[in-house]
Coordinates of all heavy atoms in Angstrom, one line a residue:
M10 N 67.0 118.0 123.0 CA 68.4 117.9 123.2 C 68.9 116.5 122.8 O 68.3 115.6 123.2 CB 68.8 118.3 124.6 CG 70.2 118.5 124.8 SD 70.6 119.2 126.5 CE 70.7 117.7 127.4
V11 N 70.0 116.5 122.1 CA 70.5 115.2 121.7 C 71.8 114.9 122.4 O 72.7 115.7 122.4 CB 70.8 115.1 120.2 CG1 71.4 113.8 119.8 CG2 69.5 115.4 119.4
M12 N 71.8 113.8 123.1 CA 73.0 113.4 123.8 C 74.0 112.7 122.8 O 73.6 111.8 122.1 CB 72.7 112.4 124.9 CG 71.8 113.0 126.0 SD 72.7 113.8 127.3 CE 73.4 112.4 128.2
S13 N 75.2 113.2 122.8 CA 76.2 112.5 121.9 C 76.7 111.3 122.6 O 77.2 111.4 123.7 CB 77.3 113.4 121.5 OG 78.0 113.8 122.6
K14 N 76.7 110.2 121.9 CA 77.3 108.9 122.5 C 78.8 108.9 122.4 O 79.4 109.3 121.4 CB 76.7 107.7 121.7 CG 75.4 107.2 122.3 CD 75.1 105.8 121.7 CE 74.6 106.0 120.2 NZ 74.2 104.7 119.7
A15 N 79.4 108.5 123.4 CA 80.9 108.3 123.4 C 81.2 107.1 122.5 O 80.7 106.0 122.7 CB 81.4 108.1 124.8
N16 N 82.0 107.4 121.5 CA 82.4 106.4 120.6 C 83.8 105.9 120.9 O 84.7 106.6 120.6 CB 82.3 106.9 119.2 CG 82.5 105.9 118.1 OD1 82.8 104.7 118.4 ND2 82.4 106.3 116.9
P17 N 84.0 104.7 121.4 CA 85.3 104.2 121.7 C 86.2 104.0 120.5 O 87.4 104.0 120.7 CB 85.0 102.8 122.4 CG 83.7 102.4 122.0 CD 82.9 103.7 121.6
S18 N 85.6 103.9 119.3 CA 86.5 103.7 118.1 C 87.1 105.0 117.6 O 87.9 105.0 116.8 CB 85.7 103.0 117.0 OG 84.7 103.9 116.5
S19 N 86.5 106.2 118.1 CA 87.0 107.4 117.6 C 88.2 107.9 118.4 O 88.2 108.8 119.2 CB 85.9 108.5 117.7 OG 85.7 108.8 119.0
K20 N 89.3 107.1 118.1 CA 90.5 107.5 118.9 C 91.3 108.6 118.2 O 91.2 108.8 117.0 CB 91.4 106.2 119.2 CG 92.3 105.8 118.2 CD 93.1 104.7 118.7 CE 93.1 103.4 117.8 NZ 93.8 102.3 118.3
Q21 N 92.1 109.2 119.0 CA 92.9 110.4 118.4 C 94.2 109.9 117.8 O 95.0 109.2 118.5 CB 93.2 111.4 119.5 CG 91.9 111.9 120.2 CD 91.2 112.9 119.3 OE1 91.7 113.9 119.0 NE2 90.0 112.5 118.9
L22 N 94.5 110.2 116.6 CA 95.7 109.9 115.9 C 96.5 111.1 115.7 O 96.0 112.2 115.6 CB 95.4 109.2 114.6 CG 94.7 107.9 114.6 CD1 94.4 107.4 113.2 CD2 95.5 106.8 115.3
A23 N 97.8 110.9 115.7 CA 98.8 112.0 115.4 C 99.5 111.7 114.1 O 99.9 110.5 113.9 CB 99.7 112.2 116.5
C24 N 99.7 112.7 113.3 CA 100.4 112.5 112.0 C 101.9 112.5 112.3 O 102.4 113.4 113.0 CB 100.1 113.7 111.1 SG 101.1 113.7 109.6
R25 N 102.7 111.5 111.8 CA 104.1 111.5 112.0 C 104.8 112.6 111.3 O 106.0 112.9 111.6 CB 104.7 110.1 111.6 CG 104.3 109.0 112.6 CD 105.3 107.8 112.5 NE 105.0 106.8 113.4 CZ 104.2 105.8 113.2 NH1 103.7 105.6 112.0 NH2 104.0 104.9 114.1
K26 N 104.3 113.1 110.2 CA 104.9 114.1 109.4 C 104.8 115.5 110.0 O 105.8 116.2 110.3 CB 104.3 114.1 108.0 CG 105.1 113.2 107.0 CD 104.4 113.3 105.7 CE 105.4 113.5 104.6 NZ 104.7 113.5 103.3
C27 N 103.5 115.9 110.3 CA 103.3 117.3 110.8 C 102.8 117.3 112.2 O 102.7 118.4 112.7 CB 102.4 118.0 109.8 SG 100.7 117.4 109.9
K28 N 102.6 116.2 112.8 CA 102.2 116.1 114.2 C 100.8 116.6 114.5 O 100.5 116.8 115.7 CB 103.2 116.8 115.1 CG 104.6 116.1 115.1 CD 105.6 116.8 116.1 CE 106.8 115.9 116.4 NZ 107.6 115.6 115.2
F29 N 100.0 116.8 113.5 CA 98.6 117.2 113.7 C 97.9 116.1 114.4 O 98.0 114.9 114.0 CB 98.0 117.6 112.4 CG 96.7 118.3 112.5 CD1 96.6 119.6 112.9 CD2 95.5 117.6 112.2 CE1 95.4 120.3 113.0 CE2 94.3 118.3 112.3 CZ 94.2 119.6 112.7
V30 N 97.0 116.4 115.4 CA 96.2 115.4 116.1 C 94.8 115.6 115.7 O 94.2 116.7 115.6 CB 96.4 115.6 117.6 CG1 95.4 114.7 118.4 CG2 97.8 115.4 118.1
F31 N 94.2 114.5 115.3 CA 92.8 114.5 114.9 C 92.1 113.2 115.2 O 92.8 112.2 115.5 CB 92.7 114.8 113.4 CG 93.5 113.7 112.5 CD1 92.8 112.7 111.9 CD2 94.9 113.8 112.5 CE1 93.5 111.8 111.2 CE2 95.6 112.9 111.7 CZ 94.9 111.8 111.1
S32 N 90.8 113.1 115.1 CA 90.1 111.9 115.4 C 90.3 110.9 114.2 O 90.3 111.3 113.1 CB 88.6 112.1 115.6 OG 87.9 112.1 114.4
G33 N 90.7 109.6 114.6 CA 91.2 108.7 113.6 C 90.2 108.1 112.6 O 90.5 107.0 112.1
E34 N 89.1 108.7 112.3 CA 88.2 108.1 111.4 C 88.6 108.2 109.9 O 88.3 107.4 109.1 CB 86.8 108.7 111.6 CG 86.0 108.2 112.8 CD 84.9 109.1 113.2 OE1 84.3 109.7 112.4 OE2 84.8 109.3 114.5
E35 N 89.3 109.3 109.7 CA 89.8 109.5 108.3 C 90.9 108.6 107.8 O 91.0 108.4 106.6 CB 90.2 111.0 108.1 CG 89.1 112.0 108.2 CD 88.2 111.9 107.0 OE1 88.7 111.9 105.9 OE2 87.0 112.0 107.2
K36 N 91.7 108.2 108.7 CA 92.9 107.4 108.4 C 93.9 108.2 107.5 O 94.7 107.6 106.7 CB 92.6 106.1 107.8 CG 91.6 105.2 108.6 CD 92.4 104.5 109.7 CE 91.5 103.6 110.5 NZ 91.4 103.9 111.9
K37 N 93.8 109.5 107.5 CA 94.6 110.3 106.7 C 94.7 111.7 107.3 O 93.7 112.2 107.8 CB 93.9 110.4 105.3 CG 94.8 111.0 104.2 CD 94.1 111.0 102.9 CE 94.0 112.3 102.3 NZ 93.4 112.4 101.0
C38 N 95.9 112.3 107.3 CA 96.0 113.6 107.9 C 95.3 114.6 107.2 O 95.5 114.8 106.0 CB 97.5 113.9 108.0 SG 97.8 115.5 108.7
P39 N 94.4 115.4 107.8 CA 93.7 116.5 107.1 C 94.6 117.7 106.8 O 94.1 118.5 106.0 CB 92.6 116.9 108.2 CG 93.1 116.5 109.5 CD 94.0 115.3 109.3
V40 N 95.8 117.7 107.3 CA 96.6 118.9 107.0 C 97.6 118.6 105.9 O 97.6 119.3 104.9 CB 97.5 119.3 108.3 CG1 98.5 120.4 107.9 CG2 96.5 119.7 109.4
C41 N 98.3 117.5 106.0 CA 99.3 117.2 104.9 C 99.0 116.0 104.0 O 99.7 115.8 103.1 CB 100.7 117.0 105.5 SG 100.9 115.5 106.5
G42 N 97.9 115.3 104.4 CA 97.4 114.2 103.6 C 98.2 112.9 103.8 O 98.0 111.9 103.1
S43 N 99.1 112.9 104.7 CA 99.9 111.7 105.0 C 99.1 110.6 105.6 O 98.2 110.9 106.4 CB 101.1 112.1 105.9 OG 101.8 110.9 106.4
T44 N 99.4 109.4 105.3 CA 98.8 108.3 106.0 C 99.7 107.6 107.0 O 99.4 106.5 107.5 CB 98.3 107.2 104.9 OG1 99.5 106.9 104.1 CG2 97.2 107.7 104.0
D45 N 100.8 108.3 107.2 CA 101.8 107.8 108.2 C 101.3 108.3 109.6 O 101.8 109.4 110.0 CB 103.2 108.3 107.9 CG 104.2 107.6 108.7 OD1 103.9 106.7 109.5 OD2 105.4 108.0 108.6
L46 N 100.5 107.6 110.3 CA 99.8 108.1 111.5 C 100.2 107.2 112.7 O 100.6 106.0 112.5 CB 98.3 108.1 111.3 CG 97.8 108.7 110.0 CD1 96.3 108.4 109.8 CD2 98.1 110.2 110.0
S47 N 100.0 107.7 113.9 CA 100.4 107.0 115.1 C 99.4 107.3 116.2 O 98.9 108.4 116.3 CB 101.8 107.3 115.5 OG 102.0 106.7 116.8
D48 N 99.0 106.2 116.9 CA 98.1 106.5 118.1 C 99.0 106.5 119.3 O 98.4 106.6 120.4 CB 97.0 105.4 118.2 CG 97.5 104.0 118.3 OD1 98.7 103.8 118.3 OD2 96.6 103.1 118.4
E49 N 100.3 106.4 119.2 CA 101.2 106.6 120.3 C 101.9 107.9 120.3 O 103.0 108.0 119.6 CB 102.2 105.4 120.3 CG 101.6 104.1 120.8 CD 102.7 103.0 120.9 OE1 103.6 103.2 121.6 OE2 102.5 102.0 120.3
W50 N 101.3 108.8 120.9 CA 101.9 110.2 120.9 C 101.7 110.8 122.3 O 100.9 110.3 123.1 CB 101.2 111.1 119.9 CG 99.7 111.1 119.9 CD1 98.9 110.2 119.3 CD2 98.9 112.0 120.7 NE1 97.6 110.6 119.6 CE2 97.6 111.6 120.4 CE3 99.2 113.1 121.5 CZ2 96.5 112.3 121.0 CZ3 98.1 113.7 122.1 CH2 96.8 113.4 121.8
A51 N 102.5 111.8 122.6 CA 102.5 112.4 124.0 C 102.6 113.9 123.9 O 103.2 114.4 123.0 CB 103.7 111.8 124.8
G52 N 101.9 114.6 124.8 CA 102.0 116.0 124.8 C 101.1 116.6 123.8 O 101.0 116.1 122.7
L53 N 100.4 117.7 124.2 CA 99.5 118.3 123.2 C 99.6 119.8 123.3 O 99.6 120.4 124.3 CB 98.0 117.9 123.6 CG 96.9 118.1 122.6 CD1 97.1 117.3 121.3 CD2 95.6 117.8 123.2
V54 N 99.7 120.4 122.1 CA 99.8 121.8 122.0 C 98.6 122.3 121.1 O 98.4 121.6 120.1 CB 101.1 122.3 121.3 CG1 101.1 123.7 121.0 CG2 102.3 121.9 122.2
I55 N 97.9 123.3 121.6 CA 96.8 123.8 120.8 C 97.2 125.1 120.1 O 97.6 126.0 120.8 CB 95.5 124.0 121.7 CG1 95.1 122.6 122.3 CG2 94.4 124.6 120.8 CD1 94.1 122.8 123.4
I56 N 97.2 125.1 118.8 CA 97.6 126.2 118.0 C 96.3 127.0 117.6 O 95.4 126.4 116.9 CB 98.4 125.9 116.8 CG1 99.7 125.1 117.1 CG2 98.7 127.1 115.9 CD1 100.7 125.9 118.0
L57 N 96.2 128.2 118.1 CA 95.0 129.0 117.8 C 95.3 130.0 116.7 O 94.4 130.5 116.0 CB 94.5 129.7 119.1 CG 94.1 128.9 120.2 CD1 93.9 129.7 121.5 CD2 92.9 128.0 119.9
D58 N 96.6 130.3 116.5 CA 97.0 131.3 115.5 C 98.2 130.8 114.8 O 99.3 130.6 115.5 CB 97.2 132.6 116.2 CG 97.5 133.8 115.2 OD1 97.7 133.5 114.0 OD2 97.5 134.9 115.6
T59 N 98.2 130.5 113.6 CA 99.3 130.0 112.9 C 100.4 131.0 112.7 O 101.5 130.7 112.2 CB 98.9 129.4 111.5 OG1 98.2 130.4 110.8 CG2 98.1 128.2 111.6
R60 N 100.2 132.3 113.0 CA 101.2 133.3 112.9 C 101.9 133.5 114.2 O 102.9 134.3 114.3 CB 100.6 134.7 112.5 CG 100.0 134.7 111.0 CD 99.1 135.8 110.8 NE 98.0 135.7 111.7 CZ 97.0 136.6 111.8 NH1 97.0 137.7 111.0 NH2 96.0 136.5 112.6
S61 N 101.6 132.7 115.2 CA 102.2 132.9 116.5 C 103.6 132.2 116.5 O 103.9 131.4 115.6 CB 101.3 132.2 117.6 OG 101.3 130.8 117.4
K62 N 104.4 132.6 117.5 CA 105.8 132.1 117.6 C 105.7 130.6 117.8 O 106.5 129.8 117.3 CB 106.4 132.8 118.8 CG 107.9 132.5 118.9 CD 108.7 133.2 117.9 CE 110.2 132.7 117.9 NZ 110.9 133.1 116.7
L63 N 104.8 130.1 118.6 CA 104.7 128.7 118.9 C 104.4 127.9 117.7 O 104.9 126.8 117.5 CB 103.6 128.5 120.0 CG 103.4 127.1 120.5 CD1 104.7 126.6 121.2 CD2 102.3 127.1 121.6
A64 N 103.5 128.4 116.9 CA 103.1 127.7 115.6 C 104.3 127.6 114.7 O 104.5 126.6 114.1 CB 102.0 128.5 114.9
E65 N 105.2 128.7 114.7 CA 106.4 128.7 114.0 C 107.4 127.6 114.4 O 107.9 126.9 113.6 CB 107.0 130.1 114.1 CG 108.1 130.4 113.0 CD 108.7 131.7 113.3 OE1 108.0 132.7 113.3 OE2 109.9 131.7 113.5
V66 N 107.5 127.5 115.7 CA 108.4 126.5 116.3 C 108.0 125.1 116.0 O 108.8 124.2 115.6 CB 108.5 126.7 117.9 CG1 109.2 125.5 118.5 CG2 109.2 128.0 118.2
I67 N 106.7 124.9 116.1 CA 106.1 123.5 115.8 C 106.0 123.3 114.3 O 106.1 122.1 113.9 CB 104.7 123.4 116.5 CG1 104.9 123.4 118.0 CG2 104.0 122.2 116.0 CD1 103.6 123.4 118.8
G68 N 105.9 124.3 113.6 CA 105.7 124.2 112.1 C 104.3 124.0 111.7 O 104.0 123.3 110.7
A69 N 103.4 124.5 112.6 CA 102.0 124.3 112.3 C 101.5 125.2 111.2 O 101.8 126.4 111.1 CB 101.2 124.7 113.6
K70 N 100.8 124.6 110.2 CA 100.3 125.3 109.1 C 98.8 125.5 109.1 O 98.2 126.1 108.3 CB 100.7 124.6 107.8 CG 102.2 124.5 107.6 CD 102.6 124.0 106.3 CE 104.1 124.1 106.1 NZ 104.9 123.5 107.2
K71 N 98.2 124.9 110.2 CA 96.7 125.0 110.3 C 96.4 125.0 111.8 O 97.1 124.4 112.6 CB 96.2 123.7 109.7 CG 94.6 123.6 109.7 CD 94.3 122.2 109.1 CE 92.8 122.1 108.7 NZ 91.9 122.0 109.8
E72 N 95.4 125.8 112.2 CA 95.0 125.8 113.6 C 94.5 124.4 114.0 O 93.9 123.7 113.2 CB 93.9 126.8 113.8 CG 94.3 128.3 113.8 CD 94.2 128.8 112.3 OE1 93.8 128.1 111.4 OE2 94.6 130.0 112.1
G73 N 94.8 124.1 115.3 CA 94.4 122.8 115.7 C 95.3 122.3 116.8 O 96.1 123.0 117.4
R74 N 95.2 121.0 117.1 CA 96.0 120.4 118.1 C 97.2 119.6 117.5 O 97.0 118.9 116.5 CB 95.1 119.5 118.9 CG 94.0 120.3 119.6 CD 93.0 119.3 120.3 NE 92.5 118.4 119.4 CZ 92.0 117.2 119.8 NH1 92.1 116.8 121.0 NH2 91.5 116.4 118.9
Y75 N 98.3 119.8 118.2 CA 99.5 119.1 117.7 C 100.2 118.3 118.9 O 100.2 118.8 120.0 CB 100.5 120.1 117.2 CG 100.1 120.7 115.9 CD1 99.1 121.8 115.9 CD2 100.6 120.3 114.7 CE1 98.7 122.3 114.6 CE2 100.1 120.8 113.4 CZ 99.2 121.8 113.5 OH 98.8 122.3 112.3
A76 N 100.7 117.2 118.5 CA 101.4 116.3 119.5 C 102.9 116.8 119.6 O 103.5 117.3 118.7 CB 101.4 114.9 119.1
I77 N 103.4 116.7 120.8 CA 104.8 117.1 121.1 C 105.7 116.0 120.5 O 106.7 116.2 119.9 CB 105.1 117.4 122.6 CG1 104.1 118.4 123.2 CG2 106.5 117.7 122.8 CD1 104.4 119.8 122.9
R78 N 105.3 114.8 120.9 CA 106.1 113.7 120.5 C 105.2 112.6 119.9 O 104.2 112.3 120.4 CB 106.8 113.0 121.7 CG 108.2 113.6 122.1 CD 108.9 112.8 123.1 NE 108.1 112.7 124.3 CZ 108.1 111.6 125.1 NH1 108.8 110.6 124.8 NH2 107.3 111.6 126.2
V79 N 105.7 112.1 118.7 CA 104.9 111.0 118.1 C 105.9 109.8 117.9 O 107.0 110.0 117.4 CB 104.4 111.5 116.7 CG1 103.6 110.3 116.0 CG2 103.6 112.7 116.8
R80 N 105.4 108.7 118.4 CA 106.3 107.5 118.3 C 106.0 106.7 117.0 O 104.9 106.8 116.5 CB 106.1 106.6 119.5 CG 107.1 107.0 120.6 CD 106.9 106.2 121.9 NE 105.7 106.9 122.6 CZ 105.4 106.6 123.8 NH1 106.0 105.6 124.5 NH2 104.4 107.2 124.4
Ligands
ZN3 ZN1 100.2 115.6 108.7

């Protein structure tokens, strides 16, 4: 069994364009490709189905986690 080490540099970033939340190693949004990212965001919505009403409201095009507010 391998224990995964907690990496303090792997902070979660949110895309200012589509609000997708991801670990900030890429420095680029994996959904829309934007580099306009923020580590100051609040609220988290998990989209499991992009055909759901919630995904439509948020504008989610990919399953994943989305921030409610991005500063
Ligand atoms: Zn994006």
Side-chain angles (χ1 to χ4, degrees):
M10 193 171 87
V11 179
M12 297 272 284
S13 65
K14 270 191 289 182
N16 185 357
S18 70
S19 69
K20 87 174 126 183
Q21 301 287 293
L22 294 177
C24 172
R25 284 200 179 95
K26 268 180 136 177
C27 69
K28 295 184 164 59
F29 190 74
V30 174
F31 58 101
S32 84
E34 281 161 38
E35 289 290 317
K36 304 283 183 234
K37 193 175 125 180
C38 176
V40 174
C41 69
S43 171
T44 51
D45 190 7
L46 312 170
S47 174
D48 60 0
E49 285 186 54
W50 52 271
L53 192 65
V54 172
I55 299 169
I56 300 297
L57 299 173
D58 186 349
T59 51
R60 290 164 300 178
S61 68
K62 188 73 190 167
L63 185 59
E65 194 183 301
V66 169
I67 290 173
K70 297 188 173 53
K71 184 182 193 289
E72 288 86 4
R74 297 174 304 152
Y75 289 80
I77 306 283
R78 274 188 301 146
V79 182
R80 269 172 282 190

